[in-house]
Amino acid sequence: MRAFLAVAVIAATMSFTASADDFTADTSLADNDRVVRSVTLEDLKAIAVSEGHEITEVGGQGDVSLRALTPEGLIFHMIGTACDTEYADGCLGMMVQVRYDSDEDVTTEAINNANISYAAVSTWWDKEEKTVGVTRYIILDGGQRMENLKVNLQNALSLGPMVADVVWPTDVSDDDLDAYYEWLNSGDDDQ
């Protein structure tokens, strides 16, 4: 059964004592018409917060990185790439990643099927770290509007669960899933 990689991280995040300033964002940086040729941590934070997500960690995957939580409970990472080169002070690219815990049901065939089914993202399997990941990589060459970066984030977050359905196929009906999620969110342990 699939599980979000950072289930334990949620509990740790609740007790995390970092300064509130670590998670604040100047959402004006995420103005749709703003064109960027590189991004900084402040840009990533602005994108995440402007899209309604809660930042739960900064710097965990490098100086220009964050972990965030969607309102639906999906954990994701935004990671700057090709940072502080001779071409720019910020990062010339960025990744959006959704990660899941690997289990005995994961197969190379399933990972390959996910890559074929959803070519807009790369699906990978780190057996050693017991992680299945879904990555959308964005290159900022020539500049990108912030609106495009937000759309790329939305696409990655939409495709992550769809990829998981390929890796871990289920015969459960949508009604059963809705009832399960309702019970899960109710906090009632007796059902």
Side-chain angles (χ1 to χ4, degrees):
M1 174 162 192
R2 67 179 168 195
F4 294 114
L5 175 63
V7 171
V9 173
I10 292 174
T13 301
M14 296 173 109
S15 64
F16 193 62
T17 57
S19 158
D21 291 343
D22 290 342
F23 304 142
T24 61
D26 176 0
T27 55
S28 70
L29 294 174
D31 179 84
N32 283 345
D33 292 324
R34 181 173 170 240
V35 175
V36 293
R37 288 177 171 72
S38 64
V39 291
T40 65
L41 176 59
E42 294 308 311
D43 293 321
L44 298 184
K45 289 166 49 176
I47 293 167
V49 170
S50 72
E51 289 296 295
H53 308 301
E54 176 187 351
I55 298 170
T56 60
E57 177 188 72
V58 294
Q61 300 291 309
D63 290 342
V64 183
S65 69
L66 62 82
R67 182 184 61 226
L69 183 67
T70 69
E72 298 77 28
L74 182 66
I75 298 167
F76 67 95
H77 299 260
M78 295 176 72
I79 305 165
T81 60
C83 300
D84 297 323
T85 67
E86 62 186 273
Y87 305 105
D89 290 335
C91 300
L92 297 172
M94 64 178 261
M95 292 187 288
V96 178
Q97 290 186 345
V98 176
R99 302 174 189 168
Y100 298 94
D101 287 334
S102 178
D103 61 20
E104 66 279 350
D105 295 332
V106 178
T107 64
T108 302
E109 181 181 8
I111 299 298
N112 289 339
N113 286 339
N115 274 312
I116 291 168
S117 298
Y118 298 105
V121 291
S122 297
T123 304
W124 47 273
W125 182 20
D126 186 333
K127 291 181 185 180
E128 198 171 295
E129 294 294 323
K130 297 182 178 160
T131 303
V132 171
V134 181
T135 300
R136 176 122 172 145
Y137 187 64
I138 302 102
I139 299 171
L140 302 174
D141 291 355
Q144 297 281 338
R145 292 177 64 225
M146 288 301 255
E147 179 181 29
N148 187 47
L149 298 183
K150 291 182 209 176
V151 168
N152 274 280
L153 172 61
Q154 294 164 9
N155 288 336
L157 297 179
S158 294
L159 289 168
M162 294 167 73
V163 165
D165 287 341
V166 172
V167 175
W168 293 278
T170 178
D171 294 331
V172 178
S173 72
D174 288 342
D175 290 339
D176 289 340
L177 282 175
D178 290 342
Y180 171 74
Y181 289 126
E182 185 177 320
W183 168 79
L184 187 63
N185 291 324
S186 74
D188 184 3
D189 293 332
D190 295 331
Q191 292 187 5

